[in-house]
Every structure is written in C-alpha cells, then in structure tokens.
Amino acid sequence: MSNEAERPRVLEYPGNGFVITWEPARCRHAAECVRGLPRVFDNTRRPWIVTDGATADEVVTVVDRCPSYALGYRTADGRSRTAPDTVR
Ligand code: SF4
C-alpha cells in the first residue's frame, strides 16, 4: 500500500548551488517572488521558474519572503526552507 496520494506535489528546479522547490497547492499568487527576482520567477512564462544565472543568496533572500511557504530551497552550503508541516 502507498500513501503517495497524501503527499503534497512539490516541483523542483535545480540551479547552480541550490534547488528551488515549489508546492503549487500552497501558492497564493501574492507575487512576492515575481517582484523580488523577476528573471527567475515570471508567471507569464513556462516554466515560470528559471534558475539560470541566479545565486543561492539571491534565491534565499526572495524565497524567504514567500508568505505561503509555497516556495522553498535547499542550498549546497546547507541552508533550507520547507513548509512547516511538509513531511520529507
Ligand atoms: S511569493 Fe509564494 S505565494 Fe507568492 S506567487 Fe510566489 S510562490 Fe506563490
């Protein structure tokens, strides 16, 4: 038996020294990310997250502003952000 259906869908976008995670069901479209780092987060584009050229520090700064915890990250130097009740 599998509990796969109970797990939230989390998409991953690898970059240079970091991975951005995005849980669509949590996204409130507040656009903090789009305003903060528009070359990475652009909701008029598909895929809407493009990590090319971004640094881990830029990603951490902007993702930390996401009010819903839809966005998270893991960095090569050990920083991470996940939604408070996300089970890994
Ligand atoms: S800041 Fe978070 S909630 Fe707002 S659009 Fe970006 S991912 Fe969605």
Side-chain angles (χ1 to χ4, degrees), residues 16-18 37 54-63 75 77 79:
N16 185 14
F18 62 86
L37 200 50
T55 67
D57 285 344
E58 287 176 318
V59 166
V60 165
T61 298
V62 171
V63 168
T75 67
D77 61 9
R79 291 172 283 176

Side-chain angles (χ1 to χ4, degrees), residues 8-64:
R9 188 168 73 110
V10 179
L11 305 177
E12 301 208 338
Y13 300 85
N16 185 14
F18 62 86
V19 175
I20 295 172
T21 60
W22 183 55
E23 190 178 334
R26 285 183 181 271
C27 182
R28 291 197 214 122
H29 307 289
E32 289 294 333
C33 53
V34 175
R35 277 192 293 270
L37 200 50
R39 73 177 191 279
V40 171
F41 302 101
D42 180 349
N43 54 9
T44 66
R45 180 181 66 197
R46 293 293 176 272
W48 80 283
I49 298 176
V50 173
T51 58
D52 294 354
T55 67
D57 285 344
E58 287 176 318
V59 166
V60 165
T61 298
V62 171
V63 168
D64 277 345

